[in-house]
Amino acid sequence: MEQSLEQERNRQARSTACAAVDSLAVSPTGIVQYTSRGRVLVVGDEEAQLFANRIEPPLHAEVLLQKGSEEPGVPVVAVGGRKVRINGHLGAFVIELGEPGKPSFQRIESDMVLDFGEKPLIGAEFLPPGYWYFSTEPQEMDRALLEIAPMVGTFEKPRFFDYDPDICAHARAGREGCERCILACPADAIISIGESVEVNPNLCQGGGVCASVCPTGAMRYAYPSPADTLRRVHLMLKKYLEAGGNDPVVLFASEADAMSLGELQPNILLLVVEELGSVGLEVWLSALAWGAQEVLLADGESVLRGIRLNLDEQMKIADSILHGMAYPANLIRFLGAEEIGKASGAKMPQISAAAFESFNEKRTMLFLAIDHLFQQSGSSLEMISLPDDAAFGRIEVESSACTLCMGCTSVCPVKALQAGNDEPRLQFIEQNCVQCGLCESACPENAITLQTRLLTSVEKRRQLVTLHEEAPFLCCSCGKPFASKGMISKMLDQLSGHPIFQSERAIKRLQMCEECRVVDAIQDQDAIDAGIAIKQPETNQRKN
């Protein structure tokens, strides 16, 4: 009797929470447009030709024949052993056959592609909009005909992402760093363009995992925004607890899988999202900080393998953080539809719900959640060990190798590494570091190594610490400090055999500041003769 009363109270509390969340508006985003004139390329063999003959205006079919003989009907292009490359999206597909520049090369343009081959010609997990892959079973072919029938005209979809290149850790100064979004994207929509990345909005289909794996928050889900998703989670938990609900469990499910979940226990709060990949570490930990007992992810058919693997890696990081605070294991996990129906919840020890608000800044939300959970845990652990791919940690500098050239500070995208103003000093803020490795690859002395970890003390994480410092080297001419002693010593050693720096005066010039070096070179006739200084023109004065 008591249990049924609690279930009814939880059910009513859930209804109150869901009603409150349904009233929340979602921040608008940009629109991506496609225009299709109805050109359909049908890929396959004889069965593809038969199917193409069923296509009627306003659609217009052409067949890319992979094998078999040409039959009367719609236009046919035979592959004929040539390599096939397909790029594009709805309204703008380009199909290339053979090698450019050779007589056999051929280029086809189409608005849509229907692929009935043995395997898709495009290898991405998310096939581009306008590209469908079907088997040659009769019912599948009937379904294909229904799919393409309305695809003439102009179509719109939301722009699912925002990107801030200023904090992207992909590359700096020719050094390669983070590639997580590129490797994780199931639509192959993200490419490297030097020091930043580029997302093709027409290929992006809102998988969202790029934002979940991005260490800095440079790649951000835009529809809904992170703040909108977090606001829904926070409001649902807050209203549920205020209405007397107990042991709340937050369940995230994609739109495609939500309908197959069946009846849920009254304490399970369902949040439907476009794609599971769009909710990651900062959302899960915030949900626990706001009072969730568990965070579950519905493991349905719509969850692509690549997205699942990336989220599994993020869950390992979350589990390491929570384990370091002495919380139970597996508070965040995937469950199938049948398992969700039996989920008991109540795994998290009772803690006070956090009051922090929702923001779009990923690192801000992560540390708000982490700090609250640590405070509530009662743990005294100062440092938590993390998996190697975690985006938290420190760098170590080998003092005997470091010359304080500051190459590492110039490539750090998040200002974790900083120069010591006018002093030869390398400083570090651990909370900013995302372990992207740019500093390590940029160091000419190989003096930097990375170590993933999480400091639990807010003060220590935010503290500006000195990793290496030296006494400044003073200009031998004017006495002004202008470099570190290690840097000058290395420069003198490297240039000791150079023919230009064999005279005592030339060597001494290396120990001068920039201004004194220029003045001395102008006055040095040997330097002028050697072509490393320009003779000043004589000033002609008119005599009166």
Side-chain angles (χ1 to χ4, degrees), residues 2-14 266:
E2 184 177 343
Q3 185 177 5
S4 62
L5 287 175
E6 181 179 356
Q7 288 183 336
E8 181 59 30
R9 185 169 60 250
N10 287 345
R11 189 174 288 107
Q12 292 179 5
R14 183 172 66 184

Side-chain angles (χ1 to χ4, degrees), residues 404 406 409 417-428 464-470 472:
L404 293 172
M406 298 303 167
T409 64
L417 283 165
Q418 300 177 18
N421 297 323
D422 295 331
E423 297 293 324
R425 180 183 299 131
L426 180 61
Q427 297 178 299
F428 178 66
L464 185 66
V465 299
T466 298
L467 298 178
H468 179 52
E469 63 180 334
E470 293 181 11

Side-chain angles (χ1 to χ4, degrees), residues 247-284:
D247 304 331
V249 174
V250 172
L251 168 64
F252 292 102
S254 69
E255 290 181 350
D257 294 326
M259 297 299 294
S260 63
L261 291 177
E263 184 66 26
L264 299 174
Q265 293 185 36
N267 67 318
I268 297 181
L269 310 179
L270 174 62
L271 281 160
V272 180
V273 293
E274 181 85 15
E275 295 287 346
L276 276 186
S278 66
V279 289
L281 198 60
E282 74 278 15
V283 179
W284 307 334

